[in-house]
Amino acid sequence: MAEGLNWNNKIHRCRPPREGPKCSTFASVIARRIVSSTVLLGLALSAIPTSQAAPGPLPGTKTNSHAIAAPGAPMRVRPYDPERPFGPDQPGTYEMTGVHTHPEAFTRVCSQGPVGDVALENGGTQRVMLTAGHCLAGTTDQGILMGQDVYAPIRGGYQRVGSVGIVRTVNVPSGYDGLSTAARKARNSTDWGIVVLDPGIPVDGAAASRDRFGGQPSSPIPLTGVRDFPTLAPGEFRLDNFGQPLCKDGAIGARKCGVQLAYNADTVWSWGLDYAPGDSGGVNFDPSNGQIVGMTSMGIGPLGTAQRADRALEVGYDIPDGHVNEKFTPAAAAGARADFVPAMEEKTEIEQYLRENNPTLTEEQLTPPTPKQQFDTAVHAAQQDAAAIAGDTQTFAVSAAVALAAGDASPAEVGDSAHRFNNAVGAYASAHAENIAGAGLNWALDELGYN
């Protein structure tokens, strides 16, 4: 999951329905993005990547004999214009926030999915990497449009891996969706993307990963093919995979294994893989036979969803159901991967840059709030609004009575105004309830060790 953007982004984002105290400073938001991983990436969120190279433009392709495209390895996608990530017609980051940000502060942190060759209709082949769609394109909940180039953070700089080919993201929950909305969307979401690899890029076809600290290395498992599930109608679920094993490799949470629960038209549901923000896009596979099942999409605690790899290939390349393995061949295991920079090193660099280039910011402003602090903030915002609404209700009642007595409004007009007022109060209450529930769940997951 990229940091930011979906269930995978377990970093709760405060979103008060009324104007009031800000949930955090811009710097704190940036720090949280680093911890998350789907935008900023924000973890399948998103989330802010940079290597140990000095800040500046991403370097072009380097000569490297070790695999750069590799299932489970880190992947990075930056905005079209890092200097104006909020849009070409918007001010730059400093003009908008007053904070000097690292040049890669809005780069999206995700993980690489399965790599292989697709047979084309013209008789040729195309070498591709499958990943989560939300990692590659569209806008984040901050409104940042991602670019077309895909990179891997390796020691000494970023290595270009390829370019965005086809992307499908439908009903993918955003970081600002409430729990009920996110759950409804997740039941019928489509979330896949295809990266067309650059010619000559060294690849590894085995699944393997390390965690955000560069530890917990997993043993490489060669990927043998794709699990070709039957095509299902929208909303249809099947349970014939229930209890079958499933593992994921991601560049934040490393390898975790659990079991499959069910699948629908585009998604395989699982338990126990513990997707972390930034694992988005990473490979999901059956450890008993090496079959590719999908790519990490969304997760909350031990419950997760992976985008079906067979559907991405069928739709992306017009492959008939049941014929995916005739058209897609996983890359061979390489045995040697590039020296990928762990996400925590990127995070440390981002934090150091913020401190050195923003001396007026306090440590509190640079430190992301804990899940409990986010919950307390959500409760406090609700209490403030409740007090304000109570005052507004009293004012409305008195004004309505005066207007009726003076003949300035009819009973029907007062009733219509009361109806609209009640709807507004209900919207505020609903927003706060979702906000508190989300923050409370995030706090509970943190206590249980899932954040």
Side-chain angles (χ1 to χ4, degrees), residues 339-359:
D339 186 5
F340 296 105
V341 177
M344 286 304 291
E345 289 191 22
E346 296 178 313
K347 175 181 181 291
T348 299
E349 181 183 338
I350 295 291
E351 292 178 341
Q352 184 64 26
Y353 186 93
L354 285 171
R355 285 177 169 82
E356 292 178 354
N357 291 275
N358 299 278

Side-chain angles (χ1 to χ4, degrees), residues 210-233:
R210 296 176 181 269
D211 66 18
R212 71 192 72 194
F213 301 98
Q216 299 188 56
S218 58
S219 300
I221 294 183
L223 300 174
T224 59
V226 177
R227 172 72 181 270
D228 204 340
F229 295 95
T231 297
L232 302 182

Side-chain angles (χ1 to χ4, degrees), residues 145-205:
L145 186 64
M146 305 314 294
Q148 292 295 313
D149 299 325
V150 177
Y151 297 85
I154 64 172
R155 194 69 58 190
Y158 280 81
Q159 164 82 53
R160 180 183 148 109
V161 174
S163 60
V164 175
I166 312 170
V167 177
R168 292 289 185 275
T169 54
V170 180
N171 285 333
V172 177
S174 75
Y176 284 97
D177 282 335
L179 293 178
S180 60
T181 300
R184 174 179 54 79
K185 286 183 175 181
R187 287 197 297 268
N188 291 290
S189 65
T190 302
D191 184 26
W192 57 265
I194 296 174
V195 177
V196 179
L197 301 182
D198 287 343
I201 286 291
V203 303
D204 180 14

Side-chain angles (χ1 to χ4, degrees), residues 53-192:
L58 292 177
T61 300
K62 301 174 183 292
T63 301
N64 195 315
S65 60
H66 293 168
I68 301 298
M75 180 182 78
R76 304 293 182 254
V77 185
R78 64 185 341 210
Y80 282 102
D81 185 353
E83 295 184 0
R84 296 182 180 276
F86 301 101
D89 300 325
Q90 299 297 320
T93 303
Y94 180 77
E95 288 74 18
M96 184 173 289
T97 67
V99 175
H100 293 286
T101 59
H102 191 284
E104 301 304 327
F106 292 96
T107 298
R108 181 166 292 174
V109 171
C110 281
S111 299
Q112 299 186 40
V115 175
D117 295 311
V118 179
L120 304 177
E121 290 299 322
N122 63 9
T125 60
Q126 187 173 71
R127 176 154 287 187
V128 300
M129 184 214 346
L130 306 180
T131 189
H134 72 255
C135 291
L136 299 181
T139 57
T140 70
D141 42 343
Q142 281 78 35
I144 301 166
L145 186 64
M146 305 314 294
Q148 292 295 313
D149 299 325
V150 177
Y151 297 85
I154 64 172
R155 194 69 58 190
Y158 280 81
Q159 164 82 53
R160 180 183 148 109
V161 174
S163 60
V164 175
I166 312 170
V167 177
R168 292 289 185 275
T169 54
V170 180
N171 285 333
V172 177
S174 75
Y176 284 97
D177 282 335
L179 293 178
S180 60
T181 300
R184 174 179 54 79
K185 286 183 175 181
R187 287 197 297 268
N188 291 290
S189 65
T190 302
D191 184 26
W192 57 265

Side-chain angles (χ1 to χ4, degrees), residues 315-451:
V315 176
Y317 291 93
D318 196 24
I319 300 174
D321 184 27
H323 295 270
V324 166
N325 287 295
E326 299 172 15
K327 298 291 185 178
F328 178 79
T329 304
R337 294 188 171 196
D339 186 5
F340 296 105
V341 177
M344 286 304 291
E345 289 191 22
E346 296 178 313
K347 175 181 181 291
T348 299
E349 181 183 338
I350 295 291
E351 292 178 341
Q352 184 64 26
Y353 186 93
L354 285 171
R355 285 177 169 82
E356 292 178 354
N357 291 275
N358 299 278
T360 61
L361 292 180
T362 66
E363 190 62 29
E364 180 180 358
Q365 291 174 308
L366 290 168
T367 303
T370 66
K372 184 181 185 305
Q373 289 171 332
Q374 294 176 50
F375 175 77
D376 291 341
T377 297
V379 171
H380 180 66
Q383 291 172 335
Q384 284 187 312
D385 268 358
I389 288 172
D392 291 344
T393 302
Q394 183 177 19
T395 300
F396 176 82
V398 172
S399 299
V402 171
L404 284 172
D408 293 333
S410 67
E413 290 173 327
V414 171
D416 181 64
S417 296
H419 178 70
R420 286 185 280 110
F421 181 79
N422 287 336
N423 285 343
V425 171
Y428 283 121
S430 177
H432 278 301
E434 290 277 15
N435 206 31
I436 292 173
L441 178 59
N442 187 49
W443 180 20
L445 291 172
D446 185 68
E447 292 293 316
L448 292 170
Y450 287 114
N451 277 349

